[in-house]
Amino acid sequence: MEFTEQQQRVIAHDHKKNGVVRAGPGTGKSLTVVALAQRLAADHPDVQIRFVTFTRAATSELIKKIISAGGKNLKPSTIHSFATSVLMQNQDALPTQLPLRIPSDYEQDKIIYPYIGRVLGIRSTRVKKMVQAMASMWESLDPDFSFADITATDKARFIAAFQNASRLYGFTLLSQLPDLLRRLLTEHTDVKGLNFQFLIIDEFQDLNKCEIELLKQLNGRGIAVLAVGDEDQSIYSFRKAHPIGIREFENHFSAAVAYDLSICHRCPGNLMLWAQHVIQGDLTRSARPTPECLSDTVAETKLLHFPGETSEAKGVAALIAKLIGKGMAAHEVLVLTRYDDKERFSKKIKELLTEKEIPVFDSKETKKLLDDKNVRLLFAYLRLLNDGKDSLAWQTLARTIFMQNEG
């Protein structure tokens, strides 16, 4: 790949300095920072680099790009696995029980929430909402975050019941990990597992306030941070994603060098202009260069109206069938919905496509597979082979076998 002047400036970044790369979709930001890491590995072999991104999907995609670029020694991780790796090396300083056992959705819904509910005399659904509110408190660093409209006394009782359940079953929630690491960095000077000098954070716009704060703690220990992302692609507001972090990066990370990647290698120009028209409706958005598109392709965009959900589903299915009939591969067709209450809309489309013998993949199918009782039993047995004292695994095993016998 021939890098543009914008990308070459990023690749030449000084690893001793903080930096922020603001890059829109299709601008080659991931390949650019991989090239930066490769250059640093060649020019400064003693410099240790860590690659961190937000989701497992993003990490998987980044791994593919690293492999294709020949970067064998670069091993990206999610921010949660990064937090876990550091926490596990500092067991004596942690307030929580180890190993850091993350409960599955089943274990939370069927074991943990009912236990807390019995202790407090409330429904499991109520407990779940309160746990979500508490997670928001960790993520936003807001100690006064609303606890589902409960009194101060009930709030204290809930926290005590949650902590008791955590000790009893030996679990730590995934949403707790960044806050545990932040607290560790705040309260202890001698922290193991920080043997790197340069930290690259991809998808920075998806980090919440807690995660940004722990990065500031790392930066204060002499680790340079390079943030990479696009505020326009921040989609995790439900977990308190803090896009202002990338907007105001220079205000919080000293002497940071700012880079803009505004040349799109992927999107057709008319599609980019259409997207910009929508994006610029965000009045809080910082000023950015208008993207330049290298593609000469003209995208076909249409706004279709249907009298109801059923006719819309039929119309979408017919359009997909037409595209595939013209030679488009089924895996190249993506259907996005703004909302899909109880899968009423997507279910109709899937049924219509199945009738037309068009293969359909739904990300929810993976969750359904993991919810299968035989798969659940397999995971419980594997966990017990790893740790014979895993209380959640024993509870899962007993509950699943009991339900099988009852059935």
Side-chain angles (χ1 to χ4, degrees):
M1 175 180 176
E2 185 176 343
F3 292 104
T4 65
E5 289 186 12
Q6 289 181 338
Q7 292 170 318
Q8 288 173 9
R9 284 195 288 272
V10 176
I11 295 170
H13 177 73
D14 183 350
H15 69 276
K16 296 178 181 179
K17 295 182 178 180
N18 296 317
V20 55
V21 182
R22 298 182 177 96
T27 54
K29 61 183 176 65
S30 296
L31 285 176
T32 302
V33 292
V34 168
L36 164 62
Q38 288 180 297
R39 181 192 68 77
L40 291 176
D43 296 350
H44 306 277
D46 294 335
V47 174
Q48 298 299 311
I49 303 168
R50 285 296 300 261
F51 244 123
V52 174
T53 189
F54 176 60
T55 64
R56 282 176 291 182
T59 302
S60 177
E61 188 64 27
L62 188 57
I63 289 173
K64 291 178 184 177
K65 292 177 180 178
I66 289 172
I67 292 174
S68 66
K72 298 179 181 179
N73 296 324
L74 302 175
K75 297 180 180 179
S77 63
T78 66
I79 194 158
H80 293 96
S81 60
F82 166 68
T84 301
S85 68
V86 177
L87 292 170
M88 291 296 290
Q89 295 180 63
N90 297 272
Q91 300 184 27
D92 295 339
L94 294 182
T96 187
Q97 183 175 347
L98 288 177
L100 293 172
R101 169 72 154 85
I102 309 300
S104 67
D105 290 346
Y106 175 87
E107 290 166 337
Q108 290 181 66
D109 292 338
K110 303 299 183 182
I111 301 172
I112 297 171
Y113 298 159
Y115 169 81
I116 297 175
R118 288 193 297 272
V119 171
L120 298 177
I122 60 177
R123 292 180 179 274
S124 297
T125 51
R126 175 78 165 167
V127 173
K128 184 173 184 177
K129 289 180 179 179
M130 295 165 77
V131 170
Q132 290 171 341
M134 184 167 61
S136 295
M137 181 184 70
W138 296 324
E139 293 161 350
S140 65
L141 297 182
D142 182 359
D144 296 321
F145 197 90
S146 173
F147 265 72
D149 301 322
I150 64 174
T151 65
T153 300
D154 287 340
K155 174 181 174 180
R157 292 185 69 244
F158 164 72
I159 292 175
F162 175 84
Q163 291 174 340
N164 184 56
S166 180
R167 288 190 294 269
L168 177 65
Y169 291 116
F171 70 85
T172 303
L173 296 183
L174 189 69
S175 52
Q176 281 181 274
L177 295 175
D179 189 54
L180 283 173
L181 178 55
R182 180 192 65 82
R183 288 162 53 192
L184 177 70
L185 294 170
T186 302
E187 298 168 5
H188 299 272
T189 56
D190 184 20
V191 177
K192 302 172 186 175
L194 304 180
N195 54 339
F196 55 94
Q197 296 80 43
F198 191 54
L199 180 61
I200 300 174
I201 309 289
D202 199 12
E203 309 297 349
F204 194 89
Q205 75 281 350
D206 290 328
L207 302 187
N208 57 44
K209 194 171 182 179
C210 172
E211 292 158 347
I212 293 172
E213 186 60 33
L214 78 83
L215 293 178
K216 289 163 66 175
Q217 292 280 349
L218 291 173
N219 190 228
R221 292 169 181 257
I223 297 172
V225 175
L226 180 71
V228 185
D230 178 13
E231 64 181 88
D232 296 331
Q233 297 184 62
S234 180
I235 59 173
Y236 288 93
S237 59
F238 65 89
R239 61 173 296 279
K240 305 305 170 186
H242 204 55
I244 196 172
I246 196 166
R247 292 174 184 169
E248 300 182 355
F249 184 88
E250 296 93 325
N251 296 338
H252 302 286
F253 293 82
S254 63
V257 183
Y259 305 95
D260 278 305
L261 297 184
S262 59
I263 299 176
C264 181
H265 302 264
R266 185 175 62 204
C267 297
N270 65 322
L271 186 61
M272 182 63 73
L273 289 173
W274 186 36
Q276 285 296 304
H277 177 74
V278 176
I279 291 169
Q280 288 168 359
D282 180 3
L283 300 179
T284 63
R285 180 178 181 265
S286 55
R288 297 270 296 280
T290 301
E292 176 188 346
C293 295
L294 298 181
S295 174
D296 295 328
T297 305
V298 177
E300 182 180 359
T301 58
K302 292 184 178 180
L303 183 60
L304 305 178
H305 293 274
F306 298 92
E309 278 191 355
T310 300
S311 60
E312 183 176 354
K314 289 180 179 179
V316 171
L319 179 59
I320 293 172
K322 182 179 178 181
L323 292 171
I324 292 175
K326 288 183 175 181
M328 182 176 287
H331 70 268
E332 294 181 335
V333 180
L334 176 66
V335 178
L336 300 176
T337 60
R338 185 167 185 176
Y339 60 89
D340 187 26
D341 185 38
K342 297 180 181 179
E343 301 184 31
R344 288 187 305 181
F345 182 65
S346 61
K347 184 177 180 181
K348 292 175 184 176
I349 296 178
K350 286 188 283 188
E351 290 173 348
L352 290 165
L353 291 175
T354 301
E355 290 176 6
K356 298 176 185 293
E357 298 184 347
I358 296 175
V360 178
F361 172 76
D362 186 342
S363 58
K364 298 186 185 74
E365 295 301 321
T366 302
K367 187 177 186 305
K368 291 178 182 177
L369 176 63
L370 293 175
D371 285 340
D372 180 84
K373 61 184 178 182
N374 292 319
V375 174
R376 193 161 61 242
L377 280 173
L378 174 62
F379 274 105
Y381 284 125
L382 290 173
R383 287 190 178 280
L384 289 170
L385 284 173
N386 179 63
D387 179 7
K389 296 181 180 179
D390 190 320
S391 297
L392 285 174
W394 279 116
Q395 286 278 342
T396 298
L397 191 65
R399 194 176 190 283
T400 304
I401 293 174
F402 174 78
M403 290 181 66
Q404 279 183 330
N405 292 337
E406 285 291 297

